[in-house]
Structure formats: C-alpha cells, structure tokens
Amino acid sequence: MSEHLAQRAAALDAADELAGARKLFALDDAVYLDGNSLGALPAHVPDRVADVVRRQWGELRIRSWDESGWWTAPERIGDRIASLVGAAPGQIVVGDSTSVNVFKAVVGAVRLQDDPARTDVLVDATTFPTDGYIAESAARMTGRRIVPVDPADLVSVIGPSTAAVLLNHVDYRSGRLHDLPALTAAIHDAGALAVWDLCHSAGALPVGLDEHGVDLAVGCTYKYLNGGPGSPAYIYVAERHQAAFDSPLPGWNSHTDPFAMTPGFEPADGAVRGRVGTPDILSMLALEASLDVWDGVSVDAVRAKSLALTDFFLECVETYVPQGRVTCLTPGKHAERGSQIALRCEDAPRVMRELITRGVIGDLRRPDVLRFGFTPLYVGFADVERAARVLSEVLAEA
C-alpha cells in the first residue's frame, strides 16, 4: 500500500502547476509542515536584504527615505498584500505587530459606531489568546463589555447591543475555516462591524475582503506570506470607513503633515491613518522581497492545491496509522478547512520531538495536538506521503 501511495504522490507532483515555485525557497531535505507558524525563506531574500543594509543604509543613509522608497513602503507593500486578500489598493497599510493592529481595529470599530447603546464587543471564544487579551483591554478602554462567543453560536448571540465582532478566519488550533461571507453578513444585519484576523488564511486561500464587505481586518506576514520571523503585520480599513476611522494610536506617521511637527494631531487621508511610528525598514523590506514569490501565482490555484494536499495527507494517515492512535480535529468538509491538519494524539510532545528528529517538521499545541501546515508554494505530495509514513513509524514505536 505504501508503494501505491508513493506512486500516486509522484504522479500528483508531476501534474502540479505550482511545483515550480518550490525552487524559489531555501529548503533542505526535511519535510517542512510548519509554514502556518513560520514560512520558509525565499531564496533571493538574503541578497535583497544585504543590499538594503550595505547600499541603502550603508551608503545612501538617510537619503534612502526618499531615494529608496522607505517612506512609502507601508502603503506600497500593503497594496501587494491587498491583491492576495481580495482588496483594492489603498486600504491596507503594513506596520506594527498583529496584536497592535488588533487593538487599533477593535477600538477603531467601536469608535466608528459611536453609539452608547452598543455596549458589547464579541470575540471568538476559541481565538488565539492574544486576540482575546487585546479585545478585552480594548473593551475596557472604550467602556464596553467583552462577550466571548463560539463562532457557531454567533447568529443567536449578536444583537442591537453589539458594537463590533472580532473573529479568526481560520482557527489556529484546529484549522477550522469559518464562513467569512455569511458571518460578516450576519454581523451587518445586526448593525455591528466585522473585524477579521487573517493570520491563518492570507496566502493560503481566497479571502474576498472587498467582495464580502468586511469592515476592518488584520493579519501577520510571517506564516503563509513568508515574510520572516516577526515581520510586520498589516491592517485593512475599508475605504468607506477611512474618513471616520479614529485610530487609538495616532502617531507622527499617520499625521497629514508628519514633518510639520505640530502639537495638534490631524489624521492623514486613507489607510495611512493606520500608521503610527517610524516603519521597521529592515524587516519590512525583507517582507517586500518575499512577496515576489507570489508574482504570477493564482490564490485560487493555491487553494485548490491546499485542499488536495490536506485530502491526501488524511488519506495517507488513515492508511498508515493504526486506527485509534490519532483523532483529526480539522473538519473534513472543504468549506470548513483551512490549510492545516490538527491531530489529537496521546503523548503528543514526544511524538512531535521524534518527528522533528526524523526530518518531519510540524508543531505542537499542548497538551495533545499535532499541527501540520501545508504551504502549497513549497510543499509537495511526496512530502505529504513521507510525513504520514514517518508518523506511523513513530507511533508504532510508542
């Protein structure tokens, strides 16, 4: 049976329209299934970063703010990300961390409402912990109440007291994909604003921010966008909200005339209102270089391959792994699946350590979840078959 699956994997790789993208990354012989935590390094980025350091910073020095385009990088790179998440130009600005941008977005959404009767901020009860911490703090600071809610129960909970809702597009632990179009519509039907966290979906599947009327969104760039460890995050402010968007972190970079250095704050037009302080140029330009791997790539093709990879992984696991040794937490339905597979497993910490020792790199969510992220630009079907086979070997030894 293993020979049959290996042959199928080879045939699938031979027919893969995205297979050529793998050579754009600096990879070794390991099976890297942790791109949902840190994307692999695009091979050309070190030389680009070296130019930023040696020539732009080392030779041009302060002139690079103009001559090398440093000053406009947050908007320029934001427009490149916009094309990957279904947004028109001028609505995304890059900078700060995801956590900081969640704070801007939640407070900004409450201020856009400007309605004291809307007392509640709803937050995904299964959210990545920091999103919950930030949302709770934002609610306190705006005099609102935080209400944790399971996304499956949102429609029954949301109502006239809801100001804003913060949801994850894909659950970080299970890989469940939430229905962004339907949930956004339900939020709007209740008169509230929708804030989406795209950390586990941008670069892995179509998002459609403009098409589905999302109000605000945030996301990181170091997972499926391969921007590098700690690369700057981004915030999306829909064009219809930009004139009224009141950021809780006004800084000189978001001033309409930043170099006037006036004591009073006058917000700039457009998405620039999402900026705060001096951009982190080295990591930002590394991110810009990383986005080159997306040139000519269709997000729809990425999504199709992602589903094929995860389907094949589940088939291989079912074939190789003895029944009852792992339980899949990720939904089987394509419409409910992101680009990762989460398996509950007894003795998961030991299993993941041994997998990594044998060249299959996934990650662990304590106490008992093995996570495997599938980045279609550089993960192939032979990788998938090998990962499942090694997993079965490790479990057999246990």
mmCIF file of all heavy atoms in Angstrom, residues 57-95:
data_model
loop_
_atom_site.group_PDB
_atom_site.id
_atom_site.type_symbol
_atom_site.label_atom_id
_atom_site.label_comp_id
_atom_site.label_asym_id
_atom_site.label_seq_id
_atom_site.Cartn_x
_atom_site.Cartn_y
_atom_site.Cartn_z
ATOM 1 N N TRP A 57 21.212 51.604 3.456
ATOM 2 C CA TRP A 57 21.535 52.149 4.770
ATOM 3 C C TRP A 57 23.008 52.579 4.840
ATOM 4 O O TRP A 57 23.341 53.679 5.273
ATOM 5 C CB TRP A 57 21.235 51.103 5.836
ATOM 6 C CG TRP A 57 21.524 51.496 7.258
ATOM 7 C CD1 TRP A 57 21.760 52.749 7.744
ATOM 8 C CD2 TRP A 57 21.615 50.608 8.373
ATOM 9 N NE1 TRP A 57 21.996 52.704 9.096
ATOM 10 C CE2 TRP A 57 21.902 51.404 9.510
ATOM 11 C CE3 TRP A 57 21.470 49.232 8.527
ATOM 12 C CZ2 TRP A 57 22.069 50.844 10.789
ATOM 13 C CZ3 TRP A 57 21.618 48.675 9.801
ATOM 14 C CH2 TRP A 57 21.914 49.475 10.905
ATOM 15 N N GLY A 58 23.907 51.716 4.324
ATOM 16 C CA GLY A 58 25.338 51.970 4.480
ATOM 17 C C GLY A 58 25.861 53.111 3.639
ATOM 18 O O GLY A 58 26.748 53.853 4.088
ATOM 19 N N GLU A 59 25.332 53.271 2.413
ATOM 20 C CA GLU A 59 25.855 54.300 1.520
ATOM 21 C C GLU A 59 24.905 55.488 1.377
ATOM 22 O O GLU A 59 25.323 56.636 1.538
ATOM 23 C CB GLU A 59 26.133 53.686 0.139
ATOM 24 C CG GLU A 59 27.191 52.591 0.172
ATOM 25 C CD GLU A 59 27.351 51.910 -1.175
ATOM 26 O OE1 GLU A 59 26.843 52.448 -2.191
ATOM 27 O OE2 GLU A 59 27.967 50.824 -1.214
ATOM 28 N N LEU A 60 23.658 55.217 1.074
ATOM 29 C CA LEU A 60 22.709 56.323 0.904
ATOM 30 C C LEU A 60 22.274 56.912 2.238
ATOM 31 O O LEU A 60 21.897 58.085 2.311
ATOM 32 C CB LEU A 60 21.476 55.841 0.129
ATOM 33 C CG LEU A 60 21.719 55.401 -1.313
ATOM 34 C CD1 LEU A 60 20.428 54.898 -1.934
ATOM 35 C CD2 LEU A 60 22.304 56.539 -2.136
ATOM 36 N N ARG A 61 22.305 56.091 3.258
ATOM 37 C CA ARG A 61 21.928 56.515 4.607
ATOM 38 C C ARG A 61 20.551 57.192 4.596
ATOM 39 O O ARG A 61 19.598 56.651 4.058
ATOM 40 C CB ARG A 61 23.027 57.397 5.217
ATOM 41 C CG ARG A 61 24.316 56.612 5.474
ATOM 42 C CD ARG A 61 25.418 57.469 6.028
ATOM 43 N NE ARG A 61 25.984 58.355 5.024
ATOM 44 C CZ ARG A 61 26.953 58.000 4.185
ATOM 45 N NH1 ARG A 61 27.478 56.784 4.221
ATOM 46 N NH2 ARG A 61 27.416 58.866 3.295
ATOM 47 N N ILE A 62 20.428 58.380 5.158
ATOM 48 C CA ILE A 62 19.107 58.991 5.335
ATOM 49 C C ILE A 62 18.436 59.324 4.009
ATOM 50 O O ILE A 62 17.207 59.446 3.935
ATOM 51 C CB ILE A 62 19.206 60.237 6.238
ATOM 52 C CG1 ILE A 62 17.826 60.549 6.846
ATOM 53 C CG2 ILE A 62 19.772 61.422 5.461
ATOM 54 C CD1 ILE A 62 17.878 61.551 7.979
ATOM 55 N N ARG A 63 19.219 59.421 2.941
ATOM 56 C CA ARG A 63 18.633 59.690 1.628
ATOM 57 C C ARG A 63 17.691 58.572 1.187
ATOM 58 O O ARG A 63 16.824 58.781 0.332
ATOM 59 C CB ARG A 63 19.735 59.870 0.591
ATOM 60 C CG ARG A 63 20.556 61.140 0.770
ATOM 61 C CD ARG A 63 21.904 61.036 0.083
ATOM 62 N NE ARG A 63 21.791 60.603 -1.309
ATOM 63 C CZ ARG A 63 22.824 60.116 -2.015
ATOM 64 N NH1 ARG A 63 24.015 59.988 -1.447
ATOM 65 N NH2 ARG A 63 22.649 59.771 -3.276
ATOM 66 N N SER A 64 17.865 57.380 1.765
ATOM 67 C CA SER A 64 17.042 56.249 1.340
ATOM 68 C C SER A 64 15.574 56.418 1.681
ATOM 69 O O SER A 64 14.722 55.759 1.084
ATOM 70 C CB SER A 64 17.571 54.948 1.957
ATOM 71 O OG SER A 64 18.653 54.441 1.202
ATOM 72 N N TRP A 65 15.240 57.290 2.649
ATOM 73 C CA TRP A 65 13.819 57.502 2.925
ATOM 74 C C TRP A 65 13.103 57.977 1.667
ATOM 75 O O TRP A 65 11.945 57.620 1.427
ATOM 76 C CB TRP A 65 13.640 58.512 4.058
ATOM 77 C CG TRP A 65 13.960 57.937 5.399
ATOM 78 C CD1 TRP A 65 15.067 58.151 6.159
ATOM 79 C CD2 TRP A 65 13.154 57.003 6.131
ATOM 80 N NE1 TRP A 65 15.010 57.413 7.314
ATOM 81 C CE2 TRP A 65 13.841 56.706 7.325
ATOM 82 C CE3 TRP A 65 11.924 56.386 5.892
ATOM 83 C CZ2 TRP A 65 13.337 55.816 8.285
ATOM 84 C CZ3 TRP A 65 11.412 55.503 6.839
ATOM 85 C CH2 TRP A 65 12.120 55.223 8.020
ATOM 86 N N ASP A 66 13.795 58.748 0.851
ATOM 87 C CA ASP A 66 13.213 59.200 -0.417
ATOM 88 C C ASP A 66 13.707 58.371 -1.593
ATOM 89 O O ASP A 66 12.918 57.820 -2.356
ATOM 90 C CB ASP A 66 13.549 60.674 -0.663
ATOM 91 C CG ASP A 66 12.859 61.597 0.317
ATOM 92 O OD1 ASP A 66 11.693 61.332 0.651
ATOM 93 O OD2 ASP A 66 13.486 62.574 0.753
ATOM 94 N N GLU A 67 15.016 58.243 -1.739
ATOM 95 C CA GLU A 67 15.594 57.651 -2.940
ATOM 96 C C GLU A 67 15.339 56.144 -3.034
ATOM 97 O O GLU A 67 15.269 55.596 -4.137
ATOM 98 C CB GLU A 67 17.092 57.947 -2.996
ATOM 99 C CG GLU A 67 17.395 59.433 -3.159
ATOM 100 C CD GLU A 67 18.892 59.727 -3.230
ATOM 101 O OE1 GLU A 67 19.656 58.828 -3.641
ATOM 102 O OE2 GLU A 67 19.298 60.855 -2.888
ATOM 103 N N SER A 68 15.229 55.465 -1.904
ATOM 104 C CA SER A 68 14.974 54.018 -1.910
ATOM 105 C C SER A 68 13.530 53.679 -1.580
ATOM 106 O O SER A 68 13.179 52.496 -1.457
ATOM 107 C CB SER A 68 15.918 53.313 -0.917
ATOM 108 O OG SER A 68 17.265 53.543 -1.249
ATOM 109 N N GLY A 69 12.704 54.700 -1.402
ATOM 110 C CA GLY A 69 11.289 54.456 -1.177
ATOM 111 C C GLY A 69 10.933 53.946 0.200
ATOM 112 O O GLY A 69 9.873 53.341 0.380
ATOM 113 N N TRP A 70 11.792 54.204 1.191
ATOM 114 C CA TRP A 70 11.490 53.732 2.539
ATOM 115 C C TRP A 70 10.183 54.319 3.067
ATOM 116 O O TRP A 70 9.391 53.622 3.696
ATOM 117 C CB TRP A 70 12.619 54.094 3.495
ATOM 118 C CG TRP A 70 13.878 53.305 3.324
ATOM 119 C CD1 TRP A 70 14.123 52.328 2.400
ATOM 120 C CD2 TRP A 70 15.072 53.432 4.110
ATOM 121 N NE1 TRP A 70 15.387 51.836 2.551
ATOM 122 C CE2 TRP A 70 15.996 52.491 3.593
ATOM 123 C CE3 TRP A 70 15.447 54.246 5.163
ATOM 124 C CZ2 TRP A 70 17.276 52.345 4.133
ATOM 125 C CZ3 TRP A 70 16.715 54.104 5.706
ATOM 126 C CH2 TRP A 70 17.621 53.159 5.193
ATOM 127 N N TRP A 71 9.980 55.598 2.822
ATOM 128 C CA TRP A 71 8.833 56.271 3.447
ATOM 129 C C TRP A 71 7.498 55.699 2.976
ATOM 130 O O TRP A 71 6.540 55.604 3.744
ATOM 131 C CB TRP A 71 8.885 57.786 3.189
ATOM 132 C CG TRP A 71 7.798 58.506 3.917
ATOM 133 C CD1 TRP A 71 6.620 58.966 3.418
ATOM 134 C CD2 TRP A 71 7.778 58.812 5.314
ATOM 135 N NE1 TRP A 71 5.866 59.542 4.399
ATOM 136 C CE2 TRP A 71 6.546 59.459 5.582
ATOM 137 C CE3 TRP A 71 8.671 58.595 6.363
ATOM 138 C CZ2 TRP A 71 6.201 59.901 6.862
ATOM 139 C CZ3 TRP A 71 8.319 59.040 7.637
ATOM 140 C CH2 TRP A 71 7.093 59.681 7.865
ATOM 141 N N THR A 72 7.421 55.319 1.743
ATOM 142 C CA THR A 72 6.147 54.841 1.181
ATOM 143 C C THR A 72 5.993 53.327 1.270
ATOM 144 O O THR A 72 5.000 52.772 0.788
ATOM 145 C CB THR A 72 6.023 55.272 -0.290
ATOM 146 O OG1 THR A 72 7.143 54.761 -1.020
ATOM 147 C CG2 THR A 72 5.984 56.794 -0.412
ATOM 148 N N ALA A 73 6.960 52.652 1.887
ATOM 149 C CA ALA A 73 6.914 51.183 1.938
ATOM 150 C C ALA A 73 5.651 50.638 2.594
ATOM 151 O O ALA A 73 5.084 49.649 2.099
ATOM 152 C CB ALA A 73 8.163 50.643 2.638
ATOM 153 N N PRO A 74 5.152 51.193 3.699
ATOM 154 C CA PRO A 74 3.965 50.590 4.328
ATOM 155 C C PRO A 74 2.748 50.529 3.412
ATOM 156 O O PRO A 74 2.001 49.538 3.433
ATOM 157 C CB PRO A 74 3.712 51.513 5.536
ATOM 158 C CG PRO A 74 5.068 52.058 5.882
ATOM 159 C CD PRO A 74 5.729 52.264 4.544
ATOM 160 N N GLU A 75 2.540 51.547 2.597
ATOM 161 C CA GLU A 75 1.404 51.532 1.677
ATOM 162 C C GLU A 75 1.708 50.691 0.435
ATOM 163 O O GLU A 75 0.844 49.963 -0.063
ATOM 164 C CB GLU A 75 1.035 52.953 1.237
ATOM 165 C CG GLU A 75 0.506 53.822 2.365
ATOM 166 C CD GLU A 75 1.618 54.366 3.243
ATOM 167 O OE1 GLU A 75 2.545 55.000 2.702
ATOM 168 O OE2 GLU A 75 1.574 54.141 4.477
ATOM 169 N N ARG A 76 2.938 50.799 -0.059
ATOM 170 C CA ARG A 76 3.313 50.051 -1.266
ATOM 171 C C ARG A 76 3.203 48.541 -1.026
ATOM 172 O O ARG A 76 2.633 47.803 -1.830
ATOM 173 C CB ARG A 76 4.748 50.426 -1.657
ATOM 174 C CG ARG A 76 5.248 49.760 -2.920
ATOM 175 C CD ARG A 76 6.635 50.271 -3.286
ATOM 176 N NE ARG A 76 7.684 49.795 -2.372
ATOM 177 C CZ ARG A 76 8.395 50.593 -1.574
ATOM 178 N NH1 ARG A 76 8.168 51.893 -1.541
ATOM 179 N NH2 ARG A 76 9.340 50.096 -0.798
ATOM 180 N N ILE A 77 3.726 48.096 0.100
ATOM 181 C CA ILE A 77 3.668 46.669 0.422
ATOM 182 C C ILE A 77 2.235 46.274 0.771
ATOM 183 O O ILE A 77 1.785 45.166 0.457
ATOM 184 C CB ILE A 77 4.642 46.342 1.562
ATOM 185 C CG1 ILE A 77 6.069 46.747 1.163
ATOM 186 C CG2 ILE A 77 4.597 44.855 1.907
ATOM 187 C CD1 ILE A 77 7.071 46.676 2.293
ATOM 188 N N GLY A 78 1.514 47.184 1.395
ATOM 189 C CA GLY A 78 0.104 46.920 1.694
ATOM 190 C C GLY A 78 -0.703 46.643 0.445
ATOM 191 O O GLY A 78 -1.569 45.759 0.436
ATOM 192 N N ASP A 79 -0.416 47.363 -0.626
ATOM 193 C CA ASP A 79 -1.131 47.126 -1.880
ATOM 194 C C ASP A 79 -0.806 45.755 -2.463
ATOM 195 O O ASP A 79 -1.658 45.122 -3.102
ATOM 196 C CB ASP A 79 -0.798 48.224 -2.895
ATOM 197 C CG ASP A 79 -1.504 49.546 -2.594
ATOM 198 O OD1 ASP A 79 -2.435 49.547 -1.773
ATOM 199 O OD2 ASP A 79 -1.122 50.570 -3.195
ATOM 200 N N ARG A 80 0.425 45.281 -2.248
ATOM 201 C CA ARG A 80 0.772 43.951 -2.746
ATOM 202 C C ARG A 80 0.027 42.874 -1.959
ATOM 203 O O ARG A 80 -0.439 41.887 -2.527
ATOM 204 C CB ARG A 80 2.283 43.726 -2.675
ATOM 205 C CG ARG A 80 3.075 44.632 -3.598
ATOM 206 C CD ARG A 80 4.544 44.275 -3.634
ATOM 207 N NE ARG A 80 4.781 42.984 -4.281
ATOM 208 C CZ ARG A 80 6.008 42.482 -4.491
ATOM 209 N NH1 ARG A 80 7.074 43.172 -4.087
ATOM 210 N NH2 ARG A 80 6.168 41.315 -5.086
ATOM 211 N N ILE A 81 -0.089 43.064 -0.661
ATOM 212 C CA ILE A 81 -0.841 42.108 0.156
ATOM 213 C C ILE A 81 -2.326 42.175 -0.191
ATOM 214 O O ILE A 81 -3.032 41.156 -0.199
ATOM 215 C CB ILE A 81 -0.603 42.383 1.648
ATOM 216 C CG1 ILE A 81 0.857 42.072 2.009
ATOM 217 C CG2 ILE A 81 -1.560 41.579 2.525
ATOM 218 C CD1 ILE A 81 1.248 42.476 3.408
ATOM 219 N N ALA A 82 -2.806 43.380 -0.503
ATOM 220 C CA ALA A 82 -4.229 43.557 -0.832
ATOM 221 C C ALA A 82 -4.659 42.633 -1.961
ATOM 222 O O ALA A 82 -5.760 42.064 -1.934
ATOM 223 C CB ALA A 82 -4.503 45.013 -1.202
ATOM 224 N N SER A 83 -3.799 42.452 -2.947
ATOM 225 C CA SER A 83 -4.167 41.600 -4.077
ATOM 226 C C SER A 83 -4.321 40.145 -3.672
ATOM 227 O O SER A 83 -4.989 39.374 -4.361
ATOM 228 C CB SER A 83 -3.112 41.724 -5.185
ATOM 229 O OG SER A 83 -1.865 41.184 -4.766
ATOM 230 N N LEU A 84 -3.719 39.750 -2.545
ATOM 231 C CA LEU A 84 -3.800 38.364 -2.083
ATOM 232 C C LEU A 84 -4.991 38.118 -1.172
ATOM 233 O O LEU A 84 -5.340 36.965 -0.904
ATOM 234 C CB LEU A 84 -2.508 37.984 -1.340
ATOM 235 C CG LEU A 84 -1.213 38.087 -2.153
ATOM 236 C CD1 LEU A 84 -0.012 37.767 -1.275
ATOM 237 C CD2 LEU A 84 -1.251 37.153 -3.357
ATOM 238 N N VAL A 85 -5.608 39.182 -0.669
ATOM 239 C CA VAL A 85 -6.748 39.020 0.241
ATOM 240 C C VAL A 85 -8.015 39.660 -0.315
ATOM 241 O O VAL A 85 -8.992 39.855 0.410
ATOM 242 C CB VAL A 85 -6.424 39.581 1.644
ATOM 243 C CG1 VAL A 85 -5.345 38.764 2.322
ATOM 244 C CG2 VAL A 85 -6.035 41.058 1.589
ATOM 245 N N GLY A 86 -7.996 39.986 -1.588
ATOM 246 C CA GLY A 86 -9.206 40.481 -2.237
ATOM 247 C C GLY A 86 -9.577 41.893 -1.853
ATOM 248 O O GLY A 86 -10.755 42.180 -1.604
ATOM 249 N N ALA A 87 -8.588 42.789 -1.826
ATOM 250 C CA ALA A 87 -8.850 44.190 -1.502
ATOM 251 C C ALA A 87 -8.278 45.084 -2.594
ATOM 252 O O ALA A 87 -7.210 44.801 -3.144
ATOM 253 C CB ALA A 87 -8.234 44.557 -0.157
ATOM 254 N N ALA A 88 -8.987 46.152 -2.894
ATOM 255 C CA ALA A 88 -8.477 47.127 -3.842
ATOM 256 C C ALA A 88 -7.328 47.907 -3.198
ATOM 257 O O ALA A 88 -7.212 47.964 -1.970
ATOM 258 C CB ALA A 88 -9.596 48.087 -4.251
ATOM 259 N N PRO A 89 -6.464 48.509 -4.003
ATOM 260 C CA PRO A 89 -5.359 49.295 -3.441
ATOM 261 C C PRO A 89 -5.862 50.415 -2.525
ATOM 262 O O PRO A 89 -7.005 50.858 -2.624
ATOM 263 C CB PRO A 89 -4.670 49.857 -4.688
ATOM 264 C CG PRO A 89 -5.039 48.926 -5.796
ATOM 265 C CD PRO A 89 -6.433 48.459 -5.473
ATOM 266 N N GLY A 90 -4.970 50.846 -1.641
ATOM 267 C CA GLY A 90 -5.265 51.986 -0.778
ATOM 268 C C GLY A 90 -6.027 51.663 0.479
ATOM 269 O O GLY A 90 -6.500 52.570 1.166
ATOM 270 N N GLN A 91 -6.147 50.376 0.833
ATOM 271 C CA GLN A 91 -6.918 50.013 2.018
ATOM 272 C C GLN A 91 -6.103 49.241 3.061
ATOM 273 O O GLN A 91 -6.601 48.990 4.163
ATOM 274 C CB GLN A 91 -8.134 49.173 1.619
ATOM 275 C CG GLN A 91 -9.102 49.915 0.707
ATOM 276 C CD GLN A 91 -10.260 49.042 0.286
ATOM 277 O OE1 GLN A 91 -11.357 49.115 0.843
ATOM 278 N NE2 GLN A 91 -10.037 48.184 -0.695
ATOM 279 N N ILE A 92 -4.875 48.867 2.716
ATOM 280 C CA ILE A 92 -4.027 48.122 3.651
ATOM 281 C C ILE A 92 -2.723 48.877 3.854
ATOM 282 O O ILE A 92 -2.103 49.337 2.893
ATOM 283 C CB ILE A 92 -3.741 46.702 3.139
ATOM 284 C CG1 ILE A 92 -5.020 45.860 3.186
ATOM 285 C CG2 ILE A 92 -2.642 46.028 3.956
ATOM 286 C CD1 ILE A 92 -4.846 44.434 2.702
ATOM 287 N N VAL A 93 -2.326 48.979 5.105
ATOM 288 C CA VAL A 93 -1.038 49.569 5.444
ATOM 289 C C VAL A 93 -0.292 48.567 6.317
ATOM 290 O O VAL A 93 -0.884 47.900 7.173
ATOM 291 C CB VAL A 93 -1.203 50.932 6.150
ATOM 292 C CG1 VAL A 93 -1.891 50.800 7.503
ATOM 293 C CG2 VAL A 93 0.140 51.632 6.302
ATOM 294 N N VAL A 94 1.010 48.435 6.069
ATOM 295 C CA VAL A 94 1.845 47.468 6.774
ATOM 296 C C VAL A 94 2.608 48.162 7.883
ATOM 297 O O VAL A 94 3.151 49.255 7.699
ATOM 298 C CB VAL A 94 2.818 46.779 5.790
ATOM 299 C CG1 VAL A 94 3.807 45.886 6.534
ATOM 300 C CG2 VAL A 94 2.045 45.971 4.766
ATOM 301 N N GLY A 95 2.667 47.509 9.043
ATOM 302 C CA GLY A 95 3.442 48.037 10.162
ATOM 303 C C GLY A 95 2.924 47.517 11.485
ATOM 304 O O GLY A 95 1.766 47.111 11.609
#
